[in-house]
């Protein structure tokens, strides 16, 4: 039996749509592009484990869900192969040919896995019914909202420069009542696409069970007839409103016939009336569209009683789900990878994450004023949004311990430490910090000298620094040599310098002699 693999995102959507949305297994399967049997298997498993609720209990994190659901082999019964009904239909035109004979030939070709004769005949009759030129669709009240963009655009003129921009027209139509919503945006980009949905839900005063969009790139990351992948940001909008998304098949306009008709009506009754008008802002255009939209929805039907507005009040509005209490805030979802410096890059700004996640793939949720970073469904970092390109936002807790300590180093810290030891030590540290172009270049040398206090004590270190300051020895190895040899400060600076240099020369000659003898 073949094993059916689904992603963690689809598994969560199955449980959400089942226990929050109350959809049937077939509706969930159509929304997520999986088979109904797969949905049934995972729902049965959730029922066995007592997960008949949404949201899930806190102890059911992504790791546990992956272990209990995705790392266990789930098998789906293999369905018998379907005959080529077009060929069978042509064969039946032959004189003396019957369905019984065609079924026997079909059973001989698939002896171990084939439909029964009655099932074979039933499937053939179903195929025959689908061969009509078109099929009138019936829509349940409050079930589907069809969305699309108009082909024509509306110009918006900048009053200062005279520059012209083309506004895109978003259209949403309810399936049962044909109640229509439209607004103008500057693009068909992700943010405009998602926020038009938010305004459409507010215009309706509720949320339908499903959204049927076209395979627009802003809504569908990968268009496919059988398994389209939704954009994560668009999917997050659907989760916030508790609605399922069922994209239309590519090159199948009849899947969203309501949207096609709604677009055509908006073009005729709204855009055609605006062709001679000039607009200088998007708000001005949307105000005019709203007025014409009210006329359109109140216009009586020609062959049906009432209008779009009255039918919406009668059919769709009573069964729409309530809007969520918390208003939706646009959140862009982006897959990111952690750099070697434990930062991720978003819009040319760098945000830190825990250093243990180096080179891992994470998911960033970007709002207007906040950035949240997730790993395995768990928030690992939160930062205020920054628009400074090339800058970085770093949280100290995300750094390794060594980096945290280095980050706390400042010139003042070293000078205070040296002052506690003595004035000569302070003079040596000042030389190390300020004789270089940047104080940071003297941090390590200063730290090496000050740490000699632990081994030799403060009085000896102060005396060695006094000798070093008088002889001009401003490096850690020289001061450590003074301490090791016991050369303390002399009252004669010139003599001390001569003695110091001659001592070093004697030591060098002695070391060279020993090395030569050893050879």
């Amino acid at each position: 039996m073949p094993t059916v693999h689904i992603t963690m995102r689809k598994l969560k959507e199955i449980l959400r749509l089942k226990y929050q949305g109350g959809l049937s297994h077939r509706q969930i399967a159509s929304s997520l592009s999986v088979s109904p049997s797969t949905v049934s298997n995972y729902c049965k498993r959730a029922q066995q484990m007592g997960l008949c609720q949404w949201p899930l209990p806190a102890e059911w994190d992504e790791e546990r869900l992956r272990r209990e659901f995705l790392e266990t082999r789930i098998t789906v019964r293999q369905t018998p192969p379907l005959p080529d009904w077009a060929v069978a239909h042509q064969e039946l035109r032959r004189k003396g040919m019957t369905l019984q004979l065609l079924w026997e030939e079909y059973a001989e070709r698939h002896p171990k896995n084939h439909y029964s004769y009655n099932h074979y005949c039933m499937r053939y009759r179903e195929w025959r019914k689908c061969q009509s030129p078109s099929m009138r669709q019936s829509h349940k009240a409050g079930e589907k909202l069809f969305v699309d963009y108009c082909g024509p655009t509306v110009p918006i003129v900048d009053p200062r420069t005279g520059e012209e921009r083309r506004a895109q027209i978003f259209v949403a139509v309810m399936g049962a009542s044909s109640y229509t919503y439209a607004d103008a945006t500057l693009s068909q980009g992700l943010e405009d696409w998602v926020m038009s949905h938010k305004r459409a839900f507010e215009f309706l005063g509720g949320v339908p069970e499903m959204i049927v969009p076209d395979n627009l790139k802003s809504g569908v990351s990968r268009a496919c007839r059988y398994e389209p992948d939704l954009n994560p940001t668009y999917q997050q909008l659907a989760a916030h409103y508790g609605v399922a998304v069922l994209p239309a098949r590519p090159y199948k306009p009849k899947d969203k016939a309501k949207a096609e008709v709604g677009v055509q009506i908006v073009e005729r009754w709204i855009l055609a009336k605006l062709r001679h008008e000039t607009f200088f802002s998007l708000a001005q255009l949307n105000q005019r569209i709203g007025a014409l939209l009210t006329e359109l929805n109140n216009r009586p039907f020609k062959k049906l009683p009432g209008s779009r507005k009255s039918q919406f009040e009668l059919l769709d509005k009573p069964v729409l789900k309530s809007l969520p209490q918390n208003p939706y805030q646009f959140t862009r979802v982006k897959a990111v990878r952690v750099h070697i410096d434990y930062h991720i890059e978003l819009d040319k700004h760098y945000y830190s994450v825990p250093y243990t996640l180096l080179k891992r793939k994470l998911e960033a949720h970007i709002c207007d004023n906040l950035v949240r970073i997730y790993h395995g469904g768990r928030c690992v970092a939160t930062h205020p949004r920054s628009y400074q390109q090339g800058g970085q936002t770093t949280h100290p807790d995300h750094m390794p311990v060594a980096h945290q300590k280095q980050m706390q180093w400042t010139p003042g810290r070293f000078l205070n430490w040296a002052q506690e030891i003595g004035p000569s030590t302070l003079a040596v540290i000042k030389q190390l910090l300020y004789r270089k172009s940047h104080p940071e270049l003297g941090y390590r040398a200063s730290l090496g000298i000050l740490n000699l206090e632990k081994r030799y004590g403060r009085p000896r270190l102060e005396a060695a620094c006094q000798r070093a300051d008088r002889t001009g020895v401003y490096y850690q190895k020289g001061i450590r040599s003074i301490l090791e040899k016991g050369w303390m400060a002399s009252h004669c600076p010139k003599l001390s310098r001569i003695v110091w240099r001659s001592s070093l020369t004697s030591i060098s000659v002695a070391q060279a002699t020993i090395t030569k003898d050893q050879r």
Side-chain angles (χ1 to χ4, degrees):
M1 293 292 183
T3 303
V4 178
H5 297 281
I6 66 171
T7 63
M8 178 60 64
R9 191 183 298 276
K10 285 193 176 182
L11 172 60
K12 286 185 174 181
E13 281 298 289
I14 288 175
L15 299 178
R16 182 182 71 83
L17 296 176
K18 172 68 176 177
Y19 299 113
Q20 184 188 48
L23 302 185
S24 67
H25 291 179
R26 290 190 178 277
Q27 290 173 330
I28 298 174
S30 299
S31 176
L32 300 180
S33 300
V34 296
S35 66
S37 59
T38 300
V39 176
S40 178
N41 286 337
Y42 284 109
C43 290
K44 287 179 181 177
R45 177 159 301 202
Q47 187 176 8
Q48 292 172 357
M49 296 180 178
L51 291 180
C52 301
Q53 59 179 328
W54 185 268
L56 299 176
E59 62 269 19
W60 281 89
D61 56 4
E62 286 199 1
E63 186 63 29
R64 187 174 180 183
L65 287 172
R66 181 179 291 105
R67 184 176 64 252
E68 299 292 341
F69 285 81
L70 302 185
E71 294 180 357
T72 305
R73 184 178 177 86
I74 303 174
T75 59
V76 180
R77 178 180 174 271
Q78 186 176 4
T79 57
L82 281 174
D84 189 340
W85 296 122
V87 175
H89 184 66
Q90 292 292 333
E91 290 292 328
L92 283 174
R93 294 185 177 183
R94 298 176 181 270
K95 189 176 182 179
M97 183 60 65
T98 63
L99 275 174
Q100 175 72 33
L101 181 57
L102 289 175
W103 174 81
E104 291 176 358
E105 293 174 354
Y106 160 75
E108 289 177 359
R109 290 194 299 271
H110 309 283
K112 296 183 179 180
N113 189 24
H114 60 268
Y115 288 111
S116 65
Y117 173 68
N118 289 335
H119 201 159
Y120 181 91
C121 296
M122 180 185 68
R123 298 298 292 266
Y124 173 72
R125 288 193 294 269
E126 290 176 353
W127 179 84
R128 284 288 306 272
K129 291 178 182 178
C130 294
Q131 300 312 300
S132 57
S134 62
M135 180 180 67
R136 181 173 294 276
Q137 299 180 0
S138 58
H139 302 285
K140 289 171 55 180
E143 181 184 39
K144 293 180 181 179
L145 178 69
F146 296 85
V147 294
D148 203 355
Y149 279 103
C150 291
T153 57
V154 180
I156 297 178
V157 180
D158 189 327
R160 294 175 299 175
T161 63
E163 181 184 1
E164 184 179 288
R165 297 189 64 179
R166 310 296 298 190
Q168 309 291 325
I169 308 301
F170 173 86
V171 178
V173 183
M174 287 299 303
S177 62
S178 297
Y179 193 56
T180 304
Y181 169 77
D183 70 2
T185 58
L186 291 178
S187 72
Q188 295 185 16
L190 180 60
E191 183 171 2
D192 286 330
W193 167 257
V194 169
M195 297 308 289
S196 289
H197 282 71
K198 176 190 176 184
R199 291 187 289 269
F201 294 147
E202 293 172 350
F203 177 80
L204 298 175
V207 183
E209 294 180 12
M210 300 181 190
I211 305 173
V212 183
D214 200 355
N215 282 273
L216 183 72
K217 193 67 177 178
S218 296
V220 181
S221 300
R222 184 178 66 88
C224 177
R225 179 172 181 175
Y226 304 104
E227 295 183 355
D229 286 337
L230 295 183
N231 184 293
T233 301
Y234 192 34
Q235 200 164 48
Q236 190 183 57
L237 168 85
H240 179 84
Y241 284 101
V243 63
V245 179
L246 184 64
R249 295 173 296 172
Y251 310 109
K252 297 292 181 181
K254 291 182 181 179
D255 286 1
K256 52 181 182 65
K258 279 284 182 179
E260 298 290 338
V261 175
V263 164
Q264 187 181 58
I265 290 175
V266 168
E267 291 175 358
R268 289 178 178 176
W269 294 101
I270 295 181
L271 299 188
K273 292 185 176 182
L274 301 178
R275 68 188 187 279
H276 298 308
E277 300 182 28
T278 303
F279 300 96
F280 299 100
S281 69
L282 193 65
Q284 182 186 8
L285 173 58
N286 277 319
Q287 185 178 7
R288 187 75 177 98
I289 289 176
L292 294 175
L293 196 60
T294 302
E295 296 180 9
L296 172 63
N297 286 319
N298 289 325
R299 184 184 299 274
F301 289 125
K302 289 185 178 181
K303 297 182 179 180
L304 297 174
S307 62
R308 290 174 174 81
K309 177 71 173 179
S310 63
Q311 289 297 306
F312 173 75
E313 298 286 346
L314 179 65
L315 300 175
D316 290 322
K317 190 172 183 178
V319 294
L320 288 177
K321 294 183 290 186
S322 300
L323 292 169
Q325 293 182 352
N326 298 325
Y328 173 76
Q329 183 181 14
F330 175 73
T331 303
R332 180 162 57 96
V333 181
K334 182 180 179 182
V336 294
R337 185 183 289 273
V338 184
H339 298 176
I340 193 66
D341 60 352
Y342 48 86
H343 284 70
I344 63 167
E345 185 269 328
L346 294 172
D347 299 328
K348 298 182 180 180
H349 189 87
Y350 298 90
Y351 301 90
S352 67
V353 298
Y355 71 94
T356 54
L357 299 175
L358 287 181
K359 299 185 179 181
R360 299 286 185 89
K361 287 185 178 180
L362 309 181
E363 191 173 77
H365 293 196
I366 309 144
C367 302
D368 288 338
N369 53 3
L370 202 64
V371 174
R372 292 187 180 91
I373 306 165
Y374 291 83
H375 176 250
R378 183 173 60 91
C379 184
V380 296
T382 302
H383 296 284
R385 178 80 181 275
S386 176
Y387 296 91
Q388 178 188 3
Q389 295 189 0
Q392 68 178 39
T393 302
T394 306
H395 196 287
D397 293 342
H398 296 161
M399 308 171 70
V401 176
H403 292 195
Q404 292 180 21
K405 291 182 177 179
Q406 184 175 357
M407 186 179 178
Q408 296 171 358
W409 294 351
T410 61
R413 182 181 178 186
F414 288 106
L415 295 175
N416 291 335
W417 187 359
Q419 189 173 11
E420 292 176 0
I421 297 173
S424 298
T425 307
L426 178 62
V428 170
I429 296 301
K430 283 183 177 180
Q431 287 290 332
L432 286 174
L433 291 176
Y434 297 117
R435 71 179 179 178
K436 297 180 182 289
S437 58
H438 297 285
E440 290 84 355
L441 299 176
Y443 281 0
R444 292 189 181 277
S446 300
L447 186 64
I449 292 174
L450 294 173
N451 278 333
L452 293 173
E453 173 197 355
K454 299 176 183 177
R455 182 175 179 181
Y456 298 101
R458 287 188 175 184
R460 293 188 65 187
L461 178 59
E462 171 64 14
C465 288
Q466 184 180 1
R467 171 67 180 267
D469 189 33
R470 288 180 176 180
T471 56
V473 180
Y474 298 114
Y475 51 91
Q476 190 261 355
K477 288 184 179 181
I479 296 176
R480 185 173 60 185
S481 181
I482 294 174
L483 289 167
E484 290 174 352
K485 304 301 180 181
W487 297 328
M488 295 297 108
S490 173
H491 297 289
C492 181
K494 293 183 179 180
L495 181 60
S496 300
R497 191 174 296 110
I498 294 171
V499 172
W500 168 252
R501 290 177 179 172
S502 62
S503 300
L504 288 180
T505 304
S506 302
I507 293 171
S508 302
V509 172
Q511 289 179 345
T513 304
I514 293 171
T515 305
K516 184 176 181 181
D517 293 341
Q518 288 177 347
R519 292 179 182 175

